[in-house]
Amino acid sequence: GAVVSQHPSRVICKSGTSVKIECRSLDFQATTMFWYRQFPKKSLMLMATSNEGSKATYEQGVEKDKFLINHASLTLSTLTVTSAHPEDSSFYICSAPSPGLAGGSSYNEQFFGPGTRLTVL
Amino acid sequence: GENVEQHPSTLSVQEGDSAVIKCTYSDSASNYFPWYKQELGKRPQLIIDIRSNVGEKKDQRIAVTLNKTAKHFSLHITETQPEDSAVYFCAASRQAGTALIFGKGTTLSVSS
């Protein structure tokens, strides 16, 4: 199946610093990617939709100036957590829908990256 | 926007029993309903999905049913095994490939 990678897998940073997380689709092109945040023992919460060639679409309550998203190419989206604080500590996961098979639906399932564990001290 | 409710939050069964997890959604425009299994610290893995033009889908021990009129869908796992123990999430979206809205998750424990 399609593969989505994320880097780094875990990062520890000091409060006030910025952290960049990369999401790559390795064997397919993704004009759209999605960023989710998951707190311990909680569900995945959609943060934003990353669109190649245009601005990201943020969900209500997500600060676009704090969580900067750049869809640099058809295989790469980045999420930058700016001026990170301890409450930003979480598991950040991206996903990308792979194009469907010929004759089927336009898109097949969504493939998730392995996630990035962010800890802000 | 879409809101997905999931029950129960925890479910404990004996090996070999069946497990049922139920979800409801609010957006009548939702047409794609996947189920994911997530192990601790890992990415969600798709286990089965259903589109709105189908009422039921089965894959070996796993089945999903959908009632569009009532806006609810359910996951059925038969002959449970200890390796089925994990957190299961339902989700809904307008169509496959668009943003997913997840339920809160169900922690399934299968004891041998």
Side-chain angles (χ1 to χ4, degrees):
Chain A
V3 177
V4 174
S5 71
Q6 267 183 257
H7 178 80
S9 58
R10 55 179 68 232
V11 57
I12 301 172
C13 69
K14 292 182 179 179
S15 186
T17 60
S18 294
V19 174
K20 180 187 282 188
I21 302 169
E22 293 185 348
C23 177
R24 292 181 186 272
S25 55
L26 297 185
D27 50 1
F28 64 99
Q29 293 183 334
T31 56
T32 302
M33 293 183 176
F34 303 100
W35 286 96
Y36 296 86
R37 180 166 57 181
Q38 186 176 31
F39 291 110
K41 298 188 178 181
K42 298 293 184 183
S43 186
L44 288 85
M45 297 298 294
L46 178 67
M47 298 177 67
T49 301
S50 175
N51 305 298
E52 192 272 335
S54 64
K55 291 183 179 180
T57 306
Y58 290 82
E59 294 301 300
Q60 193 171 10
V62 178
E63 300 175 57
K64 61 181 180 182
D65 294 331
K66 180 168 183 62
F67 298 99
L68 302 179
I69 291 173
N70 181 30
H71 204 124
S73 73
L74 288 171
T75 60
L76 173 64
S77 174
T78 60
L79 168 68
T80 301
V81 183
T82 63
S83 187
H85 288 96
E87 56 265 30
D88 298 324
S89 298
S90 188
F91 194 48
Y92 292 86
I93 310 178
C94 67
S95 74
S98 72
L101 299 172
S105 59
S106 299
Y107 283 101
N108 213 345
E109 67 178 273
Q110 288 213 29
F111 290 91
F112 285 84
T116 297
R117 175 77 56 193
L118 171 63
T119 302
V120 185
L121 303 176
Chain B
E2 175 67 281
N3 181 48
V4 179
E5 299 282 343
Q6 183 172 347
H7 299 280
S9 57
T10 60
L11 180 59
S12 296
V13 299
Q14 291 286 322
E15 183 177 2
D17 288 350
S18 295
V20 180
I21 303 171
K22 298 182 179 183
C23 288
T24 60
Y25 62 98
S26 61
D27 187 355
S28 57
S30 289
N31 283 307
Y32 177 66
F33 308 93
W35 286 88
Y36 290 88
K37 176 183 180 182
Q38 188 181 33
E39 296 176 352
L40 192 62
K42 306 284 187 181
R43 76 186 86 192
Q45 297 278 1
L46 179 72
I47 56 171
I48 196 167
D49 58 10
I50 192 167
R51 288 172 167 81
S52 61
N53 57 346
V54 176
E56 184 174 357
K57 184 177 178 181
K58 190 174 182 180
D59 182 4
Q60 299 183 343
R61 296 187 297 111
I62 295 172
V64 57
T65 58
L66 170 65
N67 183 327
K68 277 221 77 176
T69 303
K71 296 211 266 296
H72 66 70
F73 56 113
S74 301
L75 176 71
H76 304 252
I77 305 175
T78 58
E79 300 172 35
T80 54
Q81 301 165 3
E83 49 266 39
D84 293 331
S85 298
V87 181
Y88 291 81
F89 292 99
C90 63
S93 69
R94 292 280 177 100
Q95 63 182 62
T98 60
L100 294 168
I101 303 301
F102 285 84
K104 287 189 176 354
T106 297
T107 301
L108 174 64
S109 299
V110 182
S111 53
S112 55

